[in-house]
Every structure is written in structure tokens, then in C-alpha cells.
């Protein structure tokens, strides 16, 4: 096991739950001196006690060991607040609509922080009837590529997996989409907001024609 519950975590959770060392000891069937030893780093709880400790604090064993406790007061959270976790080892993508403790290949992952698109990750969006056609100007080599795109609305998510040496493009049903995200395996998560207001169908999406003209002009000038 690469990680184990620390005394600092036990003390923090005990104090958050407004328990004394004696109260926690009674729940676990140990002495308050044992709790004190754990909290001062003079000993560790036996592995058979981990589930009981987690239950006492109303957290999972994973949260207890990682030291990251999760509090989700609204289980029907807004999809626009979604979090994406991408494993640096296998590329596995995990989506959560709230706080979570995520492990993959033994790695404790943190949620990717989305950044606005930049000059190295240009995104072009065209409206075609009831869809957005989305294209990203990006090489798609075996070592550097866009791994997925996602379109978020307040109540749903559309996700498309992309692959090296494929095309960095896809289509999404418009259906209230407020944010489009994509993930570069080297540079991380990026976003753009195609709709500035509620279903602003005339001006709420990227001016694709203008950007295409600029792109064509650049290719002519610079090859």
C-alpha cells in the first residue's frame, strides 16, 4: 500500500465531527490513549480498523487513506460544473459532477483545470442545422494529440473519444450546449463557450467563417 491513514487526518476528521478522543475510542473499541498515539504519530491504527474509522467519520476508506474528504450536498449537481480526471499512465478519462477521490493505476488524480483555448489550440465551431461541427487545429500524432472532446449543457454531457492519427473533429447536438471542452495529452484541458446567452442562435457561437478566412490567408502567406 503506497499510502496509509495518518494521525493528522484522524485528528482533523475527529475535530470536524466534534468528537473527543474518548468518544472516538468508544466507537472503535480502543482506549483514548491509543487515539492520542495515532494523532501524535507514535503509532498507526491496525488495518482491520480502517473500515470502522471511516464509518465513524462517515467517509469512505479511500477518502480516509487519501486524506481528501468529499462533501457533496447536492447529488444532482449542475453538469456545467463537471470535473474531468485523466490518468497520466493509461489515459483513462473519468467524469464526475461533484467532489470525488479518484485513483487509477495507484495514482491519486486531481481534476484537470480547464484553460481558455489559445493560439496553439484553436477551435473552430460551425452551426449546421441542429448540430455544432467542431474542429480543432492540432496535430494528431502518436505522441501529441487531442484525446477527447465534450459538450456540456446544464443537464447533460456529450463526450467523444478521439485517437492519435485520426481527425480532431466531431459533431455535437446543440441542445442547450453552453461549454465545449477538449483535452490535449501534453497541455491539458481547454474550453470555449459557444453560446453567450440562452440559445443565442445568431451570435452565440464562434465566427467560423472569419476564422477560416484567416486560416486560409495564413496558409497562403506562410505555407
Amino acid at each position: 500500500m503506497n499510502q496509509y491513514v495518518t494521525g493528522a487526518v484522524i485528528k482533523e476528521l475527529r475535530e470536524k465531527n466534534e468528537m473527543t478522543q474518548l468518544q472516538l475510542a468508544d466507537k472503535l473499541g480502543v482506549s483514548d490513549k491509543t487515539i492520542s498515539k495515532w494523532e501524535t504519530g507514535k503509532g498507526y491504527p491496525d488495518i482491520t480498523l480502517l473500515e470502522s474509522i471511516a464509518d465513524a467519520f462517515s467517509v469512505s476508506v479511500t477518502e480516509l487513506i487519501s486524506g481528501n474528504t468529499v462533501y457533496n450536498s447536492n447529488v444532482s449537481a449542475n453538469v456545467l460544473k463537471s470535473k474531468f480526471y485523466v490518468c497520466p499512465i493509461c489515459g483513462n478519462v473519468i467524469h464526475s459532477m461533484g467532489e470525488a477521490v479518484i485513483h487509477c493505476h495507484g495514482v491519486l488524480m486531481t481534476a484537470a483545470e480547464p484553460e481558455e483555448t489559445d493560439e496553439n489550440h484553436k477551435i473552430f465551431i460551425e452551426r449546421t442545422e441542429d448540430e455544432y461541427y467542431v474542429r480543432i487545429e492540432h496535430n494528431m500524432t502518436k505522441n501529441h494529440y487531442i484525446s477527447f472532446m465534450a459538450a456540456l449543457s446544464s443537464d447533460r454531457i456529450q463526450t467523444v473519444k478521439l485517437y492519435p492519427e485520426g481527425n480532431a473533429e466531431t459533431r455535437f447536438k446543440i441542445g442547450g450546449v453552453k461549454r465545449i471542452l477538449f483535452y490535449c495529452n501534453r497541455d491539458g484541458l481547454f474550453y470555449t463557450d459557444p453560446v453567450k446567452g440562452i440559445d443565442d442562435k445568431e451570435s452565440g457561437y464562434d465566427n467560423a467563417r472569419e476564422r477560416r478566412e484567416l486560416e486560409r490567408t495564413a496558409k497562403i502567406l506562410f505555407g
Side-chain angles (χ1 to χ4, degrees):
M1 185 178 296
N2 295 327
Q3 294 175 299
Y4 199 73
V5 61
T6 65
V9 168
I10 292 175
K11 183 178 181 180
E12 180 184 355
L13 289 170
R14 178 178 63 78
E15 291 177 346
K16 277 187 177 179
N17 285 270
E18 299 181 347
M19 285 185 196
T20 64
Q21 289 183 340
L22 182 58
Q23 287 172 327
L24 178 59
D26 288 342
K27 284 179 176 288
L28 302 178
V30 298
S31 70
D32 57 340
K33 288 184 179 179
T34 298
I35 304 296
S36 178
K37 284 182 180 179
W38 295 346
E39 293 186 356
T40 55
K42 295 177 181 177
Y44 292 94
D46 188 83
I47 194 168
T48 60
L49 288 173
L50 291 186
E51 189 170 346
S52 297
I53 295 171
D55 287 344
F57 297 136
S58 298
V59 299
S60 67
V61 173
T62 300
E63 292 171 89
L64 181 68
I65 292 174
S66 70
N68 296 317
T69 53
V70 173
Y71 298 98
N72 286 315
S73 58
N74 182 6
V75 294
S76 56
N78 191 321
V79 177
L80 291 172
K81 297 180 180 179
S82 289
K83 298 177 184 294
F84 290 88
Y85 301 80
V86 183
C87 179
I89 297 174
C90 70
N92 187 18
V93 180
I94 301 168
H95 165 246
S96 170
M97 289 189 292
E99 296 298 326
V101 176
I102 306 293
H103 285 80
C104 191
H105 283 79
V107 176
L108 175 61
M109 296 191 290
T110 57
E113 290 289 338
E115 300 178 40
E116 285 195 74
T117 55
D118 57 27
E119 288 302 307
N120 295 319
H121 300 85
K122 291 181 180 178
I123 185 168
F124 298 87
I125 303 173
E126 296 181 36
R127 187 187 185 97
T128 57
E129 297 182 353
D130 63 341
E131 293 183 323
Y132 283 134
Y133 166 66
V134 183
R135 180 175 62 86
I136 300 169
E137 187 180 284
H138 194 285
N139 291 330
M140 294 289 283
T141 67
K142 290 182 178 180
N143 298 316
H144 192 188
Y145 55 90
I146 304 299
S147 67
F148 75 89
M149 290 193 218
L152 278 59
S153 60
S154 61
D155 63 350
R156 70 194 62 191
I157 178 171
Q158 302 171 65
T159 308
V160 175
K161 183 74 176 75
L162 302 176
Y163 297 93
E165 301 184 332
N167 295 320
E169 61 184 16
T170 192
R171 293 179 182 274
F172 294 117
K173 290 290 184 182
I174 291 175
V177 168
K178 300 295 189 297
R179 174 158 291 190
I180 292 176
L181 301 101
F182 61 90
Y183 188 85
C184 171
N185 73 314
R186 289 190 179 180
D187 299 312
L189 190 64
F190 293 88
Y191 78 90
T192 190
D193 296 334
V195 178
K196 298 174 183 176
I198 299 175
D199 292 328
D200 181 358
K201 297 180 180 179
E202 296 301 321
S203 61
Y205 56 95
D206 193 13
N207 190 333
R209 290 190 184 89
E210 182 179 342
R211 295 193 75 167
R212 278 186 179 278
E213 287 298 326
L214 290 172
E215 185 183 29
R216 279 194 286 267
T217 302
K219 286 183 177 179
I220 292 171
L221 291 175
F222 305 108

